[in-house]
Amino acid sequence: MHPTTQLLQEARDRVTFPIQDLTKLIYGNQEIYETFMKAQKIIASEPSIRNHPDYHNWGRKEQIIKSYEKLRIMHQHFNLTNAAHWTPILSLFQGTTPSAVSFGMTVPALRFLGTDEQFNLWGPKFLTMEIVAAYAQTEIGHGSDVQNLETTATYDSQSNDFILHTPSVSAVKFWPGELGFLSNYALVYAKLIFNGKNKGVHPFMVQIRDNSTHKPLKGVVVGDIGPKLGYSTKDNGFLAFENYRIPLNSLLARYVRIENGQFSRHGNEKISYASMMVSRQLIIFIYPRMAAQSLTVAIRYSITRQQFTNDKGVENSVLEYQTQQDKLLPRLATCYGMIFAGLRIAELVDDNFHRVQKKDFSTLQQSHAILSALKAWSSQWVVDTAEWCRLSCGGHGFAHYSGIPAIYFDTAPNVTLEGENQVMYLQVARYLLKVLQYVEKNPEKVPFYFNFVLHIKETLANQSTDFGQLLKLTLTLQLISVAKKIKDSMGTGKNFQQIWNEVVGVQLLSVAQRYAEYFTYLVFQEYISNANPQVKEILQQLCDLYSLQVILDNPNTLIESGRINVEQFKQLNETKIELLNKLKPQALGLVEAFNFSDNALRTCIGCHDGKPYEYIYEWATKENSVNIKGVPQAVNDLMGTKIKARL
Ligand SMILES: Cc1cc2nc3c(=O)[nH]c(=O)nc-3n(C[C@H](O)[C@H](O)[C@H](O)COP(=O)(O)OP(=O)(O)OC[C@H]3O[C@@H](n4cnc5c(N)ncnc54)[C@H](O)[C@@H]3O)c2cc1C
């Protein structure tokens, strides 16, 4: 057998748990799994859309055209308005997916903020792609601070319509995905001016391009903002309006209305959170799976890559080195935790939507807090993981042919978009402090995934070094500490906003991240208790390694509070090494449970048959279009005289 293929095969033979049982858990349901497998197959076998080794040599325009072609073919095979079809496909595009904003942000906003009539008017046209609509909220001057957006929609009582206007350069809509050239509509967030009064920022469904020519309509200035860090296939755009008239029905009118010349509000405005939930939930669901792709490549490659000879004269696979295991295995464990968290969150969000539709807002805030915490934590972690995987593949990790650099830069924007991470964490911290206040007067209001606040005394008294207990203790100590600091600071002449912004900001971010980690632990435990007995043990090992790594990454709270001494700390490190040793032989099975095809991984160093070197050479010599045949003219121009002079 080929020597590196043999290394991979021997590693496969060492796996002791039933891989397919984990596959079932990872995908959550059969429909999602089947869609994913079918989409992988179609993409790999259809020459016009298969992920291409030479992709990163192409220009941006070529890349965009290919991704539209891929989407068109996906449309023929799947119902892309069905989340079970749409979601699994998102991780399979080279570059990010076109129309994810239209489906993942605009459609949900329309559903939740529009009336039924409005949804019925526009909704079905998304399915046929008669309408592609950007979600145009951010402006050059403001992103996170939505209330200070400057675009105006002024109600004209004479003509009973709105005048949409961009009053300054800072008010130009900037960044919306699919706005550059794909969208013919945009959901535009603008300040509603009624009878000279600002009624707040509201969404308006606005046609921006002509139905037959696709050219911008008169009064609309629109285009692509230019190249970015990755995301090359996304036409993030700019959009300005010059006193552009839009009909009254453009205002999404489930919660605000203008009728008979009167402005009125209805229901709970917090509903606006609900539409953002779909896209944040997608970020949590999909992108840890792209981290799983980078881990699959890195772990396969680390088994086939040999460096330095051992005392038996045999070269070591680099995964044999403890330091290499330390780079990859805790991340693999965390990846499983995040995937389970993503699945549980999908259920929570779904449940919340059903309630909201019945005007029950009781789970809205907790869902928002959990989503925000996990969006912030997982999105940064996915990018960091791609970087560690890249490093773990040495020089070959640096090349696009590894597949890893593209994962890094196509997931990097998630840290900023859909709510900048730190801004998200601050909202989580606000909710945690609110829940803490429930404890004395309304303990029944404390939601299930926050009920650690109901057990503060027991948690503080508990001396156990059980990992779950240590995670809960860290979270509890940090929450109490920041609440106390805010209280103590109130007497120092600063108001609450100043204390929040200037005194406790760093602590607030920390406690919010601790919550994300603890939530993931809780969900991991739920999955273990419901799992088939044959995979319980491996899942428990993964959960232990995950929890332990989280504790070791942030031990300060436990050390400062005296809850963990030097000896215990040393012991935790020893336990981690034991877990690395246990999980090393299972690592290949753990990544192969994701069932990524070689083409989906877009790699030549992490393929299933374990022949990195042959493919590296093949891709460089046969697939790399930079190797122009003959001597390029520019080389002749530059070197020609020198070459001749040497003759
Ligand atoms: C690839 C990409 C795609 C995008 N797609 C869309 C889209 O489809 N539609 C759309 O409308 N927008 C889109 N955006 C814009 C995106 O939503 C915003 O960039 C994002 O919300 C962050 O806002 P900002 O750029 O104003 O950052 P800022 O808020 O200006 O952040 C700058 C810094 O200030 C800090 N900061 C801000 N406020 C606070 C605070 N209160 N307390 C502490 N620190 C604070 C942040 O942490 C950050 O470090 C996209 C952006 C990117 C990068």
Side-chain angles (χ1 to χ4, degrees), residues 68-108:
Y68 288 174
E69 172 67 358
K70 197 175 279 184
L71 185 65
R72 192 182 65 75
I73 293 181
M74 290 295 108
H75 259 287
Q76 291 171 351
H77 290 275
F78 302 102
N79 169 7
L80 296 185
T81 54
N82 174 350
H85 286 192
W86 169 240
T87 320
I89 292 171
L90 288 175
S91 64
L92 297 176
F93 273 71
Q94 227 164 357
T96 189
T97 327
S99 91
V101 174
S102 185
F103 284 132
M105 291 181 77
T106 311
V107 171

Side-chain angles (χ1 to χ4, degrees), residues 101 105 134-145 173-178 228 231 234 236 413-414 416-423 426 500-501:
V101 174
M105 291 181 77
Y135 187 90
Q137 184 172 292
T138 306
E139 296 173 355
I140 291 183
H142 293 96
S144 307
D145 184 4
K173 295 290 173 192
F174 217 79
W175 277 109
E178 290 138 40
K228 308 157 292 262
Y231 245 49
K234 184 67 78 187
N236 294 91
N414 295 327
T416 305
L417 55 76
E418 291 306 300
E420 197 276 335
N421 276 3
Q422 301 205 338
V423 175
L426 291 172
W500 187 266
N501 290 337

Side-chain angles (χ1 to χ4, degrees), residues 219-355:
V220 174
V221 183
V222 62
D224 177 88
I225 66 167
K228 308 157 292 262
L229 174 76
Y231 245 49
S232 59
T233 54
K234 184 67 78 187
D235 53 335
N236 294 91
F238 59 82
L239 175 66
F241 298 102
E242 294 161 353
N243 291 314
Y244 182 62
R245 286 206 177 254
I246 53 172
L248 185 69
N249 190 37
S250 310
L251 171 66
L252 297 197
R254 189 174 285 273
Y255 296 95
V256 286
R257 245 166 261 167
I258 295 176
E259 275 169 329
N260 307 320
Q262 297 296 316
F263 174 86
S264 57
R265 294 179 194 275
H266 307 259
N268 190 334
E269 279 189 72
K270 285 180 189 139
I271 187 71
S272 55
Y273 290 147
S275 57
M276 298 291 279
M277 284 185 181
V278 175
S279 43
R280 285 186 192 144
Q281 185 224 312
L282 277 180
I283 290 176
I284 300 165
F285 189 90
I286 289 301
Y287 293 101
R289 289 158 201 268
M290 290 187 70
Q293 292 176 346
S294 54
L295 285 161
T296 305
V297 171
I299 286 173
R300 278 191 183 147
Y301 177 73
S302 299
I303 293 167
T304 52
R305 181 68 169 179
Q306 293 169 298
Q307 291 284 6
F308 301 99
T309 309
N310 65 19
D311 51 8
K312 295 184 189 106
V314 179
E315 276 197 298
N316 285 323
S317 286
V318 295
L319 194 61
E320 293 305 316
Y321 297 110
Q322 195 181 66
T323 49
Q324 185 79 351
Q325 295 158 25
D326 191 33
K327 280 195 194 93
L328 297 173
L329 301 189
R331 291 192 171 272
L332 180 57
T334 305
C335 191
Y336 268 83
M338 272 185 192
I339 279 169
F340 296 149
L343 288 163
R344 176 65 77 248
I345 285 176
E347 289 166 359
L348 294 177
V349 168
D350 200 44
D351 172 63
N352 178 58
F353 282 164
H354 285 105
R355 288 170 190 268

Side-chain angles (χ1 to χ4, degrees), residues 67 105 108 134 209 211 249 282 293 333 355 363 442 450 453 470 491 500 575 579 608:
S67 79
M105 291 181 77
R209 287 188 167 96
N211 279 341
N249 190 37
L282 277 180
Q293 292 176 346
R355 288 170 190 268
T363 56
N442 307 92
F450 294 83
V453 295
L470 292 180
W500 187 266
T575 308
L579 281 166
H608 189 266

Side-chain angles (χ1 to χ4, degrees), residues 88-133:
I89 292 171
L90 288 175
S91 64
L92 297 176
F93 273 71
Q94 227 164 357
T96 189
T97 327
S99 91
V101 174
S102 185
F103 284 132
M105 291 181 77
T106 311
V107 171
L110 208 55
R111 178 167 287 132
F112 285 101
L113 305 176
T115 59
D116 291 344
E117 296 75 40
Q118 287 178 315
F119 188 72
N120 291 337
L121 175 65
W122 294 303
K125 295 184 181 164
F126 280 81
L127 179 60
T128 53
M129 288 191 77
E130 245 174 288
I131 290 183
V132 175

